[in-house]
Every structure is written in structure tokens, then in C-alpha cells.
């Protein structure tokens, strides 16, 4: 692997003084992609089961994701390389250096994960649309709406480049912000109880649920995609480090606000009334019924629009970001990692993975997903976040990173804590899968 380019390569992309706030974008994209309907329902159920008691866990999870995404961005800017360049340098290579243990793991993971996630994301996006269209001339079944959502996502990513994609994601985040924060205001939070929730406590039966809340919200493969979105934004070199850190903090601060708002809704609307929700994304449809009964159809419709914004932003975020990662993997496999045309937006590998995310998963919409496939998907998925955290520690404390940008005690501590947490969660997930 070649050394990172000299700083002069980045001279024409140095941010102008005072312009940092206007440049924010990739962090919003990463946060919106990472926080989907599943994260919202997990936080909502936490509020319905434990009130405000686990608010501190949601805040801790946000701080953890800030640290992980910052490490991804720091690697990209300090080294001038992608995260896959880093992974491909860990350990001996095979087949002329084109593969190693990390690239083999990622290749298997991204193919299998994409197949199952495609069906999951399309279904999550279709749920609120089907509910909104129920009783109208467009009252299609859930499978039809799921396929429509997948194809619309494909078209939006296939025919647009990053600047348009970022604007679209920012618009979806704005819709989420208005609807989710609006709900939190409508249900009238108990501010003293909210403040007490910032004090770490563990109610009976909440230990593993707390770990899941810390590790789960906004924590997906899209954390690794953050470095690719930085590159598409045009940020090159250490001169952009302060911009990246501001961008990352703003993006995940927005995530934290969403989490707190949904926990408020769960605590105020469901906890006091002892209302239980269905598991999975369908639990948000149960919440729609509760909102309509309590506040009327207008609030219910507003919530479904926000539900769609959360689900669809995750769909197109994965369609774009993980396709960039796959294109980088494929370029390394072919031995043309230094050719930008082989791994960027619009490259054959990028578009090939887009098609893989969209059309083969439609088969799963018409059948019960095979047990063996789900076990393999769950196992690989559980192991990805430990893999990311621990390889970042390796990369950012080695000579691959310029000395002034290597991790210090705080970053190493957060990455190690994240790695340990994700290992515990992975162990629990694997035990559940193989029982």
C-alpha cells in the first residue's frame, strides 16, 4: 500500500475561515442512515418499560457513536486512505496481496448482509406508506409498497451524485426533526423526571436492555461509510479535521435529540398507561393507533410521515454508502484500488451492489426467510461493530497513521469501551441465535 499523499495535494480543498458551519453534511447523512425505525422502536420501548430511567444510556450511546465516527473520519483525513485500505493492510495478504482476513470477512458480510437488509429496509419503509394509503385508491399490499420503495431508492441513488443525495437526506432529517420533536412536545415531558434520567441507574431486568440501547442506536455499518461520504464531499487532508469533528458532533447530536424525544414519548404516552407495543418496526404502527386515539388523526398522520422519513433515509443511506464500500472492496479484489473510476459513484461495482440490494431481496418478501440464512446474517451482523471498533484501535495506534493524528487516551478508551460493549452484545446475540 502506498503512503498517503503529501499535504500539498490537499491545498486546493482547505476550508475557508469561518465556513465550517456551512459545510456540515456527511455527519447528518451518517446519523440519518444509522437511525432507522428499529432504533426508534427500541428507544420507544425503553421509555415504555422503564420511563426515563435509561435516558443516560441513550446519551452514552450517542457519545460512543461520536467517538467511533470521529475515529473513522480521522483515519480518512489523516492517512488519505479509505477504511478498506486500512483493513486490507492488517495482516498478510493472499492472491498477490488482494485479499486478507479482514477483506474476506467484509466481503462475505457485505454480500449476505445486503441480501437480508434489502428486504428489511424495504419493508420498514413500506409500513408507514401502506398505513397512510389504507382506504385510498392506492391501497396496495405491503409487499407491493416494499418493492416500490426499493426501486425508488435505487433510482434516487443511481441517477444522482453526492450533493443531491446529501440535500435529500437533510430534507428527510428535517421531516424527522419536526415530527419526532413535535410528538415529544405534544405529550408534555416531565422535566424533573427527565433530569433524573441522566443519573445512571439500572432498574430491575434492564441490564442487557441498557447495553443494547447504548450499543444499538445509530450503530451500523454506516459508521464505516462516514469516511466515504467525507471523500464524496471533497474533504481531503488534515486541514479538514476540525470541520469533520464539528460535522460529526452535529450529526450525532441530532441523533441524540431523536433518541431523547422518542424516549419521552414512550415514558409519557406508554409507561404511565402500561401500554405494550409489538416487537419490531410494526410496533410503530401500534403507536400510530395510540396517537390517533389520544390526539386525533392529524397527529397520527404526522407521526407516520416521520416514521417514513426515518425508514427511507436509512434505506437510501445504505443504498449509497454501503455501495461505495462494496465498490472499494471490489476494486481491491481486481487490483485497481488506485483507479477512482473503478470504485466511485456510478462505477460498475457501485451500481452492481445497488441492484443486489434492491432486486434479489424481493424474493424474501414472498417467503419466510430461511433459518440458516438468518442465523448467518445475525452472526455476521453481531460481529461487525466489534470488528470496526477493534480495527480502528489497530489502525489509529500504528505507523499507518501520522503520529500527530494517532489516538490518545480518551479516543482509545472510548474505542476500547465500544469494542468491549459490542463483543458482549455480539456474544448475547450469538447465544440467542444458536439456542
Amino acid at each position: 500500500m502506498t503512503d498517503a499523499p503529501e499535504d500539498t495535494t490537499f491545498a486546493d480543498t482547505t476550508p475557508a475561515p469561518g465556513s465550517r458551519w456551512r459545510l456540515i453534511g456527511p455527519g447528518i447523512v451518517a446519523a440519518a442512515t444509522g437511525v432507522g425505525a428499529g432504533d426508534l422502536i427500541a428507544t420507544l420501548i425503553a421509555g415504555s418499560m422503564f420511563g426515563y430511567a435509561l435516558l443516560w444510556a441513550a446519551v452514552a450511546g450517542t457519545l460512543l457513536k461520536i467517538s467511533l465516527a470521529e475515529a473513522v473520519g480521522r483515519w480518512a483525513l489523516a492517512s488519505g486512505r479509505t477504511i478498506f485500505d486500512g483493513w486490507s493492510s492488517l495482516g498478510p495478504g493472499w492472491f498477490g496481496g488482494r485479499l486478507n482476513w479482514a477483506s474476506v470477512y467484509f466481503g462475505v458480510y457485505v454480500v449476505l448482509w445486503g441480501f437480508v437488509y434489502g428486504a428489511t429496509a424495504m419493508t420498514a419503509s413500506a409500513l408507514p406508506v401502506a398505513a397512510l394509503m389504507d382506504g385510498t385508491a392506492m391501497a396496495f399490499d405491503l409487499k407491493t409498497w416494499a418493492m416500490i420503495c426499493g426501486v425508488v431508492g435505487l433510482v434516487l441513488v443511481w441517477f444522482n451524485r453526492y450533493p443531491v443525495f446529501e440535500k435529500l437526506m437533510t430534507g428527510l432529517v428535517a421531516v424527522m426533526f419536526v415530527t419526532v420533536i413535535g410528538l415529544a412536545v405534544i405529550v408534555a415531558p416531565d422535566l424533573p423526571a427527565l433530569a433524573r434520567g441522566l443519573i445512571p441507574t439500572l432498574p430491575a431486568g434492564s441490564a442487557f436492555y441498557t447495553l443494547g440501547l447504548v450499543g444499538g442506536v445509530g450503530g451500523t455499518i454506516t459508521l464505516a461509510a462516514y469516511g466515504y461520504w467525507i471523500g464524496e464531499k471533497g474533504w481531503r487532508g488534515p486541514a479538514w479535521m476540525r470541520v469533520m469533528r464539528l460535522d460529526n458532533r452535529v450529526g450525532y447530536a441530532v441523533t441524540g435529540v431523536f433518541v431523547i424525544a422518542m424516549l419521552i414519548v414512550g415514558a409519557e404516552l406508554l409507561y404511565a398507561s402500561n401500554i405494550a407495543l409489538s416487537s419490531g418496526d410494526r410496533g410503530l404502527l401500534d403507536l400510530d393507533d395510540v396517537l390517533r386515539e389520544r390526539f386525533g388523526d392529524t397527529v397520527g398522520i404526522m407521526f407516520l410521515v416521520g416514521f417514513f422519513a426515518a425508514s427511507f433515509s436509512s434505506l437510501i443511506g445504505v443504498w449509497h454508502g454501503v455501495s461505495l464500500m462494496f465498490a472499494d472492496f471490489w476494486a481491491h479484489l481486481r487490483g485497481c484500488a488506485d483507479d477512482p473510476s473503478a470504485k466511485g459513484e456510478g462505477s460498475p461495482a457501485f451500481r452492481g451492489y445497488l441492484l443486489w440490494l434492491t432486486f434479489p431481496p424481493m424474493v424474501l418478501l414472498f417467503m419466510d426467510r430461511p433459518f440458516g440464512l438468518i442465523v448467518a446474517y445475525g452472526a455476521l451482523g453481531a460481529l461487525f461493530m466489534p470488528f470496526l471498533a477493534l480495527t480502528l484501535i489497530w489502525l489509529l495506534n500504528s505507523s499507518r497513521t501520522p503520529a500527530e493524528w494517532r489516538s490518545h487516551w480518551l479516543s482509545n478508551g472510548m474505542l476500547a469501551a465500544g469494542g468491549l460493549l459490542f463483543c458482549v452484545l455480539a456474544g448475547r446475540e450469538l447465544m440467542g441465535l444458536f439456542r
Side-chain angles (χ1 to χ4, degrees):
M1 198 67 62
T2 58
D3 292 334
E6 297 295 330
D7 285 348
T8 54
T9 304
F10 310 122
D12 60 340
T13 63
T14 301
S19 66
R20 288 193 297 273
W21 283 98
R22 293 187 290 104
L23 296 170
I24 288 172
I28 296 290
V29 170
T33 304
V35 179
D39 295 299
L40 295 183
I41 192 66
T43 310
L44 186 67
I45 292 176
S48 70
M49 293 176 62
F50 305 108
Y52 291 105
L54 298 185
L55 177 63
W56 66 271
V59 174
T62 301
L63 295 176
L64 182 62
K65 304 311 179 304
I66 288 174
S67 298
L68 281 164
E70 187 275 342
V72 171
R74 178 154 46 92
W75 163 261
L77 294 179
S79 69
R81 304 173 183 178
T82 66
I83 189 68
F84 195 85
D85 287 330
W87 290 338
S88 64
S89 72
L90 299 177
W94 315 310
F95 302 106
R98 296 180 184 182
L99 285 175
N100 68 345
W101 67 272
S103 54
V104 168
Y105 167 75
F106 175 80
V108 174
Y109 169 79
V110 78
V111 171
L112 182 57
W113 179 89
F115 182 56
V116 180
Y117 179 82
T120 303
M122 287 187 278
T123 302
S125 298
L127 281 168
V129 180
L132 283 166
M133 295 299 172
D134 189 32
T136 71
M138 298 183 67
F140 307 139
D141 63 14
L142 185 63
K143 295 181 181 66
T144 300
W145 277 119
M147 290 187 286
I148 291 172
C149 288
V151 172
V152 170
L154 169 72
V155 170
L156 288 173
V157 175
W158 187 291
F159 291 104
N160 291 299
R161 292 295 182 263
Y162 179 80
V164 175
F165 168 73
E166 183 186 288
K167 288 181 173 63
L168 177 59
M169 292 291 279
T170 303
L172 291 169
V173 168
V175 172
M176 290 170 62
F177 191 89
V178 170
T179 54
V180 173
I181 303 305
L183 284 178
V185 172
I186 288 171
V187 301
D190 181 343
L191 296 180
L194 188 69
R196 289 194 297 272
L198 294 172
I199 301 172
T201 58
L202 281 177
S206 69
F208 273 110
Y209 204 93
T210 302
L211 292 179
L213 193 60
V214 173
V217 178
T220 69
I221 190 174
T222 52
L223 279 168
Y226 181 55
Y228 292 84
W229 286 320
I230 285 174
E232 294 299 324
K233 185 74 169 177
W235 298 353
R236 302 284 190 275
W240 288 90
M241 202 70 73
R242 293 180 65 186
V243 174
M244 179 276 293
R245 285 171 169 161
L246 176 64
D247 172 76
N248 175 46
R249 290 165 187 167
V250 169
Y252 277 94
V254 171
T255 299
V257 170
F258 290 149
V259 168
I260 292 170
M262 289 306 290
L263 194 124
I264 288 171
V265 173
E268 295 294 340
L269 198 61
L270 307 176
Y271 178 68
S273 304
N274 198 28
I275 298 173
L277 302 180
S278 301
S279 61
D281 298 339
R282 291 181 183 273
L284 292 178
L285 296 182
D286 293 344
L287 178 60
D288 174 51
D289 293 336
V290 174
L291 289 169
R292 288 175 187 266
E293 181 180 347
R294 186 74 61 88
F295 301 109
D297 288 345
T298 300
V299 172
I301 291 171
M302 180 182 76
F303 168 71
L304 288 176
V305 171
F307 177 3
F308 172 76
S311 301
F312 194 66
S313 63
S314 291
L315 185 152
I316 62 173
V318 166
W319 264 228
H320 188 275
V322 183
S323 294
L324 284 173
M325 295 181 70
F326 178 82
D328 193 15
F329 159 75
W330 193 252
H332 278 80
L333 194 61
R334 293 177 56 222
C336 54
D338 295 328
D339 180 6
S341 65
K343 59 181 183 178
E345 291 177 304
S347 65
F350 177 88
R351 289 183 167 172
Y353 192 74
L354 270 178
L355 296 172
W356 173 253
L357 282 168
T358 305
F359 293 109
M362 290 180 183
V363 175
L364 297 182
L365 300 175
F366 293 90
M367 65 175 67
D368 292 331
R369 290 176 289 179
F371 175 74
L373 178 63
I374 297 305
V375 169
Y377 166 76
L380 288 170
L383 294 171
F384 183 79
M385 291 303 287
F387 168 77
L388 177 61
L390 297 175
T391 54
L392 282 171
I393 292 175
W394 190 345
L395 291 171
L396 291 170
N397 287 279
S398 72
S399 59
R400 298 171 184 84
T401 304
E404 64 177 306
W405 299 112
R406 291 176 194 165
S407 290
H408 298 298
W409 67 270
L410 179 59
S411 176
N412 281 326
M414 293 295 286
L415 290 173
L420 178 61
L421 169 65
F422 294 128
C423 285
V424 171
L425 292 172
R428 186 181 181 222
E429 180 73 16
L430 293 173
M431 288 170 59
L433 285 171
F434 291 104
R435 274 181 186 142

